[in-house]
Amino acid sequence: MATRTAQRKERLLVDGEWVDGADVIPVTDLADGGHFAEVVAATPEQAEDALAAAQRAEATMRETTIVERGEWCEEIADRLEARTEEIAEVIVREAGKPIGSARGEVGSAAERFRRAAEEIRHIKGEFREGTTSGHEGWEAVVKHEPVGTVLCITPYNYPLATTALQVAPALAAGNSVVLKPATKTPVSAAILADVMRDVVPEGAINLVTGHGSEIGDVLAGDDRVNAIAMTGSSGAGKHVAYESGMVNLHMELGGNAPQLVFPDADLDEAAAAAAKGSLKYAGQRCSAISRVLAHEEIHDDLVARIDDAMDDWKQGDLFDEDTDLGPLISEDQADWVEELVEDALDKGATLVRGGGRDGLTYEPTLLADVPHDARILQEEQFGPVCAVTSVADEDEAVDIANGGDLALDACVFTADYDRAMRLADVVDAGAVRINGAPSHGLGDIPFGGNRDSGIGREGIDASIHAFMRKKSIVL
């Protein structure tokens, strides 16, 4: 177990200056209990100040070159890596991630800044000629320019890596940023702001910590915001969309990824994917496999193999290198997971393993024969639960997969190429993986959701384009 560092206090960053406040928010220590840090709770007026600073910085940012911004991203990546152990400890404590996963998150964040530097160097303008009657001889240069100010609203589950996925493309594209991190995990975002403060112009990065109920609408509803990048729940996303004005919305929201498994699949691979997809970071991932739709011929066999695969997942001390999963983020989240499991059991599901809870720690849980009307098959759970239900054929699997309001990720396990492509076409999801668990990776492949799971597609290149606009200069 690591020795806890002295309690930290993180302030707001506005126009290149650290700003204090009268009220603070304690940050829970999920490793050792109690609190390990506190952050300033911004007032609406301080949120306004951050927006004003970002707007003032737009002119400076617009004059920067792709070369400059690429070099900034590379320097930020280097500085993050230099503080790996410090940041990893923070992620362990505020997010409840095992130390190995926390270190990996720092590496992923740094790599996302490096990839943003690479992608922005591939941005190229266009030369167009008039091709319609009356426009003969017209010539035009079509160039990219930043949208202005990007509001980044980041989640608790990947407090540094997802923040980098939003901030790096916004910065690379030449925008000012106002960063509002999740209230439960704001410290790693504050460290990123500290790193960026020494690299980018004043006002290009502004950090506003605080309660969403007090400053969320102030930020999202302000006309100085030109784009909003958000990762969070569907309900929160809808609220932000309602409050926002004429802005680019770039949202990755709730998920409830189905895994469709057929008799011709490699069942050992399917079982390993189900276990990892359900248990990684205690299931608190939008891309987590939340429900397994197993063909009735192999339901029992697959359940037995998933049960065996779960043996490899260890709960324990978050600073132990061998620990695989930790606690849930809050009592409310643990209550929610417990509620969904109890609903499934009340309706006739079989508890194969787990189901127990000790405070925020919920045991890795495997449910079999889950009835089709169980809520866990259609509602986002965000817990370490693998819910397996039986389906008679492809049509029934698709009906269940598409039955809810969420459509972020899905996966299909089969040896039949035609079946795989057929199902990939009809399952409603932003991404469908064949014979592998859903994974968003570093952002080299665009990802995002349909319906209540989001607007637009994320990814380094995709996000850079979302945070730029085209201007046509007719010659």
Side-chain angles (χ1 to χ4, degrees):
M1 179 180 295
T3 301
R4 184 159 71 183
T5 56
Q7 188 169 62
R8 312 174 61 117
K9 181 176 180 181
E10 305 294 348
R11 295 170 292 170
L12 313 177
L13 180 62
V14 179
D15 207 13
E17 299 294 332
W18 294 110
V19 178
D20 217 327
D23 295 325
V24 296
I25 301 171
V27 183
T28 300
D29 186 339
L30 294 176
D32 294 333
H35 302 101
F36 81 100
E38 59 184 23
V39 296
V40 170
T43 63
E45 292 75 19
Q46 288 173 321
E48 294 268 5
D49 290 343
L51 292 166
Q55 186 183 44
R56 286 194 299 271
E58 286 180 13
T60 299
M61 291 297 292
R62 194 176 296 276
E63 293 175 359
T64 61
T65 67
I66 285 175
V67 173
E68 286 179 289
R69 301 196 299 270
E71 290 173 348
W72 292 345
C73 288
E74 289 169 342
E75 184 174 353
I76 291 165
D78 291 342
R79 288 173 178 244
L80 285 174
E81 287 181 334
R83 297 174 69 171
T84 292
E85 291 306 313
E86 173 197 0
I87 303 172
E89 180 183 342
V90 165
I91 293 172
V92 170
R93 296 191 186 282
E94 68 178 354
K97 285 192 176 180
I99 185 64
S101 297
R103 287 197 195 99
E105 180 164 346
V106 180
S108 294
E111 183 62 20
R112 281 173 165 165
F113 274 95
R114 289 199 178 96
R115 286 179 177 252
E118 294 172 4
E119 294 290 354
I120 195 61
R121 290 176 179 132
H122 287 89
I123 291 291
K124 295 178 174 63
E126 300 174 73
F127 174 79
R128 293 287 187 101
E129 296 184 62
T131 59
T132 58
S133 177
H135 288 174
E136 300 93 339
W138 280 36
E139 296 179 337
V141 173
V142 183
K143 61 181 291 185
H144 294 87
E145 62 181 20
V147 295
T149 292
V150 179
L151 170 62
C152 297
I153 303 173
T154 60
Y156 72 78
N157 56 348
Y158 285 89
L160 185 67
T162 298
T163 301
L165 183 62
Q166 295 181 7
V167 173
L171 176 68
N175 297 286
S176 303
V177 172
V178 176
L179 172 58
K180 166 61 178 75
T183 305
K184 292 181 175 66
T185 55
V187 182
S188 50
I191 296 174
L192 174 60
D194 183 45
V195 166
M196 294 181 64
R197 175 177 178 263
D198 294 331
V199 178
V200 303
E202 292 181 357
I205 177 66
N206 301 274
L207 173 73
V208 184
T209 53
H211 298 289
S213 59
E214 296 178 7
I215 62 173
D217 290 356
V218 173
L219 294 169
D222 196 284
D223 289 340
R224 288 168 290 192
V225 172
N226 304 102
I228 298 176
M230 177 182 176
T231 302
S233 70
S234 297
K238 287 181 178 180
H239 180 81
V240 168
Y242 178 82
E243 292 294 328
S244 66
M246 299 283 285
V247 303
N248 296 347
L249 293 177
H250 195 61
M251 295 183 167
E252 195 258 275
L253 306 176
N256 190 23
Q259 179 190 30
L260 287 66
V261 187
F262 294 92
D264 59 352
D266 183 323
L267 296 187
D268 285 333
E269 286 189 3
K276 181 178 181 179
S278 300
L279 301 183
K280 185 179 179 182
Y281 189 40
Q284 297 173 113
R285 300 178 301 118
C286 295
S287 60
I289 291 178
S290 302
R291 50 206 174 124
V292 179
L293 314 183
H295 191 279
E296 59 190 12
E297 290 181 16
I298 48 92
H299 173 279
D300 294 350
D301 187 4
L302 182 61
V303 167
R305 293 174 194 241
I306 295 173
D307 191 25
D308 290 341
M310 282 187 167
D311 287 339
D312 297 332
W313 288 79
K314 175 186 173 184
Q315 286 181 308
D317 181 354
L318 293 175
F319 287 101
D320 185 334
E321 300 286 350
D322 294 327
T323 296
D324 297 303
L325 68 158
L328 296 173
I329 193 70
S330 66
E331 290 284 347
D332 286 346
Q333 186 58 36
D335 289 345
W336 174 251
V337 174
E338 194 170 50
E339 179 182 325
L340 291 180
V341 171
E342 288 177 355
D343 172 77
L345 294 174
D346 288 345
K347 289 174 178 172
T350 300
L351 180 64
V352 179
R353 71 154 61 206
R357 174 185 170 188
D358 181 10
L360 301 184
T361 301
Y362 201 91
E363 292 179 333
T365 298
L366 176 58
L367 302 176
D369 298 303
V370 176
H372 292 176
D373 63 346
R375 291 167 55 199
I376 202 166
L377 293 184
Q378 299 300 344
E379 298 183 36
E380 185 175 42
Q381 50 153 306
F382 251 49
V385 181
C386 183
V388 187
T389 192
S390 179
V391 295
D393 52 32
E394 291 181 24
D395 290 341
E396 187 170 44
V398 171
D399 285 345
I400 296 172
N402 293 348
D405 297 323
L406 303 176
L408 181 62
D409 289 289
C411 56
V412 177
F413 282 75
T414 178
D416 185 330
Y417 174 85
D418 290 336
R419 170 188 280 155
M421 297 306 294
R422 182 167 63 246
L423 289 170
D425 282 341
V426 297
V427 170
D428 190 6
V432 179
R433 188 175 180 191
I434 308 302
N435 294 322
S439 174
H440 296 164
L442 291 170
D444 46 340
I445 297 174
F447 64 89
N450 303 334
R451 291 187 280 165
D452 285 1
S453 288
I455 299 173
R457 294 294 179 264
E458 286 191 310
I460 303 300
D461 178 65
S463 295
I464 285 175
H465 281 87
F467 301 145
M468 302 185 88
R469 62 193 179 198
K470 290 183 176 182
K471 174 178 283 184
S472 297
I473 302 173
V474 183
L475 306 175

